[in-house]
Amino acid sequence: MYIFRWNLKKISLWALLLSQVCLLLIFFYVQLIPSEQESNGRISFLRSSEDTEEVRNTYHTLDSNIILKTVKTRQSYVDFNSSLCFINGTDLSSMKYAKGINWRCQCLPGWHGNDCGQPEVLWRALLTSRKPFKIRGPRTFERRLIYIFKVDKFSEFVTDIRIYELGAIVDLFILYEDDTSDYLRQKLDNNFCKEHQNKILYLKDDGETVWKKVRWYLKNLRNDDIILSSSANEIPNKDALIFLKFHDHWPQPIKFRFRWSVFGFFWIHPFRTITGGGACTMSFLKESFSNKLKLLTDNKTLSSPLYKGLTLGDLNHYGGWFCEYCNDPAQVVEFIASKPKNIIDWDKIEHGKIDKNYIEDLIENGLYIDGKSELKKSRRYQDNYFAPKYVIEHDWKYDFLMVNFYSKLDYYEG
């Protein structure tokens, strides 16, 4: 009886071991057999979960199925008694300290409104306009924001800044390049702005029909979604765009008065500002501009009596940054050479030639491209609008735009 029990136990152990071996063999056999779709001579690889995420995190083309997400605004606000306060614009520390007696939102410097949701640049624009706008908010759901602009090899650095500065609030970047160029596509294929490629739609276009091409591919556009467009050198104010996403009844169209930086954020053009870009809702673009995006960025638009628009920005509080010739000197020379000759007043240039040494001298001495107009100095630690927030927080990445390396004084100060 004892021997029988011992043999039964031994047999059971051997059977269990044999079954495990069989399961392992079956598993490896199934993994090695190619599927019908992969049996055409191509090699297939097993991907880990990290590899799968890597593949998914890529830019879109017109073949993509793009569906814009719907996000509640509530996550950007906090309740204090009966007050609903915008988190980014509210002094949360002081309000939490006096929570029992605090019935109104206490705004941080540069923020206004009952909910502390109006950034300085927008608040000042509303005061200046002296028009009875009845802006309401916050909305239940954010407006989706679509940003369209052209990219070429001369605007790479500003494009990088725009996408990283606005990546958290823009729902879709539509980037296009000339039909004859392949520069942007190659950059994207090499992980340009990798962290935000899932929000980038790439296409080639002449600029005239880009929106006409795209709007049919966006599956769930809403009339209250925002369309934003600007030139290659413009970086809109992030806080102002957040306000437009969260509120209703703001005047349309929106234009931007940009701070005019030259060669980097350390020099300002003597005119100091330049007006450009444009934003409006989808319904406004359709009803007022017949879906012609070019009319939105035409500076004559806001001056027309037909529209009760608003310009964001003044001489002290800017609607964003216009960074002209923000490249290394060699690229500035190449950029100018690629443009028509009438872009420069050659009579104002002493030797009649623009080369790398000429550009370096301009940067060092604070002179505009004509070699005559004096630029104004801007200092990082004294100017609240020196550069976009992302640039300041990542100065190692954009050091040549932050510090004038051709000036010994600036170099050692930086």
Side-chain angles (χ1 to χ4, degrees):
M1 187 69 176
Y2 175 79
I3 296 174
F4 173 75
R5 288 179 179 176
W6 185 88
N7 288 336
L8 182 61
K9 184 177 181 181
K10 188 175 182 180
I11 292 171
S12 299
L13 290 173
W14 277 104
L16 180 61
L17 178 62
L18 183 62
S19 63
Q20 290 178 338
V21 172
C22 291
L23 287 173
L24 286 173
L25 290 174
I26 292 172
F27 173 79
F28 285 110
Y29 179 74
V30 170
Q31 297 298 327
L32 292 173
I33 294 179
S35 65
E36 293 181 1
Q37 294 179 345
E38 297 171 340
S39 61
N40 55 3
R42 292 179 295 180
I43 300 174
S44 67
F45 297 89
L46 295 177
R47 293 193 180 100
S48 67
S49 59
E50 292 182 359
D51 293 332
T52 303
E53 184 64 28
E54 180 81 12
V55 172
R56 289 176 181 173
N57 189 23
T58 185
Y59 63 92
H60 302 282
T61 65
L62 289 181
D63 294 328
S64 304
N65 183 26
I66 300 174
I67 299 177
L68 300 176
K69 295 180 180 180
T70 298
V71 179
K72 289 186 176 182
T73 60
R74 186 65 183 81
Q75 63 187 19
S76 298
Y77 288 79
V78 63
D79 274 321
F80 281 101
N81 295 328
S82 61
S83 299
L84 191 62
C85 307
F86 182 55
I87 293 174
N88 290 355
T90 304
D91 188 347
L92 298 178
S93 298
S94 63
M95 291 201 62
K96 288 178 180 178
Y97 181 76
K99 186 175 181 180
I101 60 174
N102 234 329
W103 294 90
R104 296 186 63 181
C105 302
Q106 294 184 13
C107 301
L108 290 168
W111 291 89
H112 304 269
N114 293 332
D115 62 353
C116 296
Q118 290 187 20
E120 184 82 18
V121 64
L122 189 133
W123 180 75
R124 292 171 67 94
L126 292 173
L127 286 180
T128 304
S129 67
R130 298 180 181 178
K131 296 177 182 178
F133 299 123
K134 296 182 179 180
I135 296 177
R136 295 178 181 176
R139 296 159 47 89
T140 303
F141 297 100
E142 295 181 15
R143 299 175 187 268
R144 280 86 60 89
L145 175 59
I146 299 171
Y147 190 7
I148 300 179
F149 57 90
K150 182 179 180 180
V151 180
D152 58 31
K153 65 179 181 179
F154 303 113
S155 61
E156 177 183 339
F157 292 111
V158 176
T159 297
D160 184 88
I161 292 171
R162 277 196 283 196
I163 291 177
Y164 280 101
E165 171 77 1
L166 305 176
I169 66 166
V170 170
D171 297 273
L172 182 66
F173 291 98
I174 300 176
L175 311 184
Y176 67 95
E177 62 182 338
D178 289 333
D179 291 330
T180 57
S181 175
D182 208 30
Y183 178 82
L184 175 58
R185 186 189 64 79
Q186 291 180 10
K187 292 293 295 184
L188 290 170
D189 287 342
N190 284 281
N191 292 327
F192 179 63
C193 296
K194 177 183 176 181
E195 292 84 352
H196 295 288
Q197 280 202 5
N198 61 331
K199 287 187 173 185
I200 293 176
L201 170 60
Y202 163 80
L203 69 155
K204 291 188 176 184
D205 197 90
D206 57 7
E208 295 292 330
T209 60
V210 58
W211 179 239
K212 184 178 180 181
K213 284 182 180 179
V214 170
R215 61 192 179 97
W216 300 113
Y217 287 87
L218 302 179
K219 305 301 182 183
N220 62 334
L221 276 179
R222 296 196 299 240
N223 286 333
D224 61 354
D225 290 338
I226 302 171
I227 187 78
L228 167 67
S229 184
S230 64
S231 76
N233 301 319
E234 297 169 353
I235 308 164
N237 185 303
K238 178 180 179 179
D239 292 334
L241 295 179
I242 293 176
F243 178 88
L244 299 182
K245 289 189 65 158
F246 286 8
H247 293 79
D248 286 324
H249 303 308
W250 36 267
Q252 301 187 64
I254 297 291
K255 301 291 284 187
F256 301 86
R257 182 167 285 116
F258 297 105
R259 174 190 173 104
W260 191 343
S261 300
V262 184
F263 301 129
F265 298 107
F266 44 81
W267 288 125
I268 307 174
H269 192 280
F271 289 165
R272 298 184 64 183
T273 66
I274 186 169
T275 303
C280 68
T281 61
M282 295 295 173
S283 59
F284 188 91
L285 183 68
K286 179 180 179 180
E287 296 166 6
S288 300
F289 296 146
S290 301
N291 279 318
K292 295 178 181 177
L293 198 63
K294 204 169 185 178
L295 294 177
L296 178 61
T297 55
D298 190 335
N299 281 335
K300 295 179 181 178
T301 300
L302 200 65
S303 60
S304 172
L306 296 175
Y307 311 116
K308 298 179 180 179
L310 192 69
T311 299
L312 302 183
D314 54 38
L315 288 177
N316 298 310
H317 302 83
Y318 302 94
W321 294 262
F322 176 80
C323 203
E324 188 178 26
Y325 304 123
C326 286
N327 252 314
D328 63 74
Q331 284 185 303
V332 174
V333 173
E334 186 181 354
F335 170 77
I336 293 173
S338 70
K339 298 299 179 182
K341 295 298 182 182
N342 60 4
I343 193 175
I344 299 294
D345 188 351
W346 293 90
D347 294 334
K348 292 185 178 181
I349 298 177
E350 293 180 359
H351 56 39
K353 181 182 179 182
I354 294 180
D355 56 19
K356 184 172 177 288
N357 291 332
Y358 175 77
I359 299 299
E360 290 177 354
D361 287 340
L362 297 183
I363 298 175
E364 177 184 0
N365 298 300
L367 296 174
Y368 192 57
I369 200 71
D370 58 14
K372 302 291 183 180
S373 304
E374 293 186 5
L375 302 174
K376 296 181 180 295
K377 181 66 180 173
S378 176
R379 301 187 183 279
R380 172 178 177 178
Y381 298 105
Q382 299 176 13
D383 191 341
N384 291 332
Y385 285 85
F386 179 78
K389 185 177 180 180
Y390 182 82
V391 175
I392 294 174
E393 292 175 347
H394 298 79
D395 52 0
W396 55 269
K397 186 177 180 181
Y398 309 102
D399 55 355
F400 73 103
L401 298 177
M402 301 286 285
V403 178
N404 184 356
F405 289 122
Y406 298 97
S407 169
K408 291 182 180 180
L409 179 61
D410 276 33
Y411 179 80
Y412 290 112
E413 282 183 354

